[in-house]
Amino acid sequence: VRPFCEFVYATGLRLREALGVRIGDLNEVDRSLVVMRAKGGRQRRAILPRSLIARLRPLTTGRPATAWLFPVRVGGERPLQ
């Protein structure tokens, strides 16, 4: 729960936006992330703070880009709803 709360606070995303983030949406080089289903169904970019990148690394290492950043494992991997 704590990594998710830190992610939402540091990025300023809405809860619904944060739940839909996939690992491939993160860009460590540009320190940004793509929000695919933002308010109004649009796509937008958000800033990814340096301090958060280090904290997210254990969650992203070894997982495919299509995997949810914060999955719930009930009958398969899918985002929290």
Side-chain angles (χ1 to χ4, degrees), residues 16-17 20 22 35-39 41-44 68 79:
R16 214 45 174 164
E17 294 171 343
R22 293 182 186 264
V35 182
M36 299 305 270
R37 286 175 245 123
K39 188 175 180 180
R42 299 181 184 176
Q43 179 178 329
R44 69 180 180 98
W68 302 107

Side-chain angles (χ1 to χ4, degrees), residues 13-62:
L13 296 182
R14 295 172 183 89
L15 291 177
R16 214 45 174 164
E17 294 171 343
L19 291 172
V21 173
R22 293 182 186 264
I23 293 173
D25 297 336
L26 306 174
N27 186 333
E28 291 185 27
V29 177
D30 292 341
R31 292 183 20 235
S32 66
L33 67 111
V34 177
V35 182
M36 299 305 270
R37 286 175 245 123
K39 188 175 180 180
R42 299 181 184 176
Q43 179 178 329
R44 69 180 180 98
R45 296 184 81 71
I47 296 171
L48 193 59
R50 278 190 196 128
S51 59
L52 187 62
I53 292 172
R55 291 184 187 142
L56 292 177
R57 200 161 283 128
L59 297 174
T60 60
T61 304

